[in-house]
Amino acid sequence: FTKMFNLKEYQQTKFYGMNNTTAPNSLKGFEAVDIANFLIRYQGKLIRRNGQTEIGTDAGTTGVNGITHYINGSTNVSIKAIDKTIKKYSAGSWSNLGAAPTFSSTGVINFCAADYFVYAFNGVDDPKKITDTTSADVTTIPKGSWAVWYRNYMIVGGVTAYPNRIYISDLGDPETYGASSYIDIEPGDGD
């Protein structure tokens, strides 16, 4: 393990903790401002992390817009959004998920697990309803950029036309929203 101190690098044989609130040149002995690829479980001991293992084929130069897991009983499938398309990991490679409705933009995709499904949001397109074998547009959910499943309500925000509005679904039904099922938070404040 090495640490920066006045732009000099030296071997640290004992370690007490991470201190990211103090300037690097003011750290006490056995403190570090930045730690990479180590697990901190016990005082005075660092354990080197093995790193990550690639799952399936590399994305190449295409950025991944979002990644999640679909879990239902014993079914556990890795799912990602890449280059405007939803894909699943199966039999050692990534493939399009079902008919794979695509997104119109390559922006960030946020996923929300609700009521035995995964929903994908990007703030532009209709949200996508995902299982381990299918993916379909859902026109009844607001086109938000994020959602949370909280106490059997789907809460959606980040709708471009109403940036201060949070939509709340019917109880136990993430795809049904009443005409007044929303809360405006400080409307008219310029955002």
Side-chain angles (χ1 to χ4, degrees), residues 124-136:
V124 177
D125 301 294
D126 288 326
K128 313 303 182 214
K129 181 179 183 177
I130 302 166
T131 69
D132 60 322
T133 58
T134 62
S135 175

Side-chain angles (χ1 to χ4, degrees), residues 21 24 59 72 74 83 88 90 94-95 107 113 116 139 141 147 156 158 183:
T21 61
N72 186 358
S74 63
D83 195 26
K88 72 174 182 174
S90 178
W94 290 96
S95 60
Y116 304 106
T139 60
I141 298 177
V156 178
I183 300 169

Side-chain angles (χ1 to χ4, degrees), residues 62-81:
T62 305
V64 175
N65 307 96
I67 191 160
T68 191
H69 284 30
Y70 171 82
I71 301 171
N72 186 358
S74 63
T75 303
N76 185 347
V77 177
S78 294
I79 295 173
K80 70 178 177 181

Side-chain angles (χ1 to χ4, degrees), residues 39-149:
L39 300 174
I40 304 170
R41 291 192 177 134
Y42 310 101
Q43 183 176 354
K45 185 175 183 180
L46 285 178
I47 301 169
R48 180 131 177 98
R49 186 172 60 86
N50 291 329
Q52 299 177 347
T53 303
E54 183 177 71
I55 298 177
T57 55
D58 189 297
T61 59
T62 305
V64 175
N65 307 96
I67 191 160
T68 191
H69 284 30
Y70 171 82
I71 301 171
N72 186 358
S74 63
T75 303
N76 185 347
V77 177
S78 294
I79 295 173
K80 70 178 177 181
I82 184 170
D83 195 26
K84 304 179 187 178
T85 305
I86 299 172
K87 297 183 177 282
K88 72 174 182 174
Y89 181 72
S90 178
S93 66
W94 290 96
S95 60
N96 288 350
L97 183 58
T102 59
F103 293 99
S104 64
S105 71
T106 56
V108 173
I109 305 298
N110 287 300
F111 293 99
C112 177
D115 199 29
Y116 304 106
F117 298 98
V118 171
Y119 293 87
F121 296 83
N122 73 348
V124 177
D125 301 294
D126 288 326
K128 313 303 182 214
K129 181 179 183 177
I130 302 166
T131 69
D132 60 322
T133 58
T134 62
S135 175
D137 291 332
V138 182
T139 60
T140 58
I141 298 177
K143 295 179 183 180
S145 58
W146 59 268
V148 175
W149 181 244

Side-chain angles (χ1 to χ4, degrees), residues 30-45:
F30 311 122
E31 290 182 339
V33 72
D34 187 22
I35 301 171
N37 294 321
F38 283 91
L39 300 174
I40 304 170
R41 291 192 177 134
Y42 310 101
Q43 183 176 354
K45 185 175 183 180

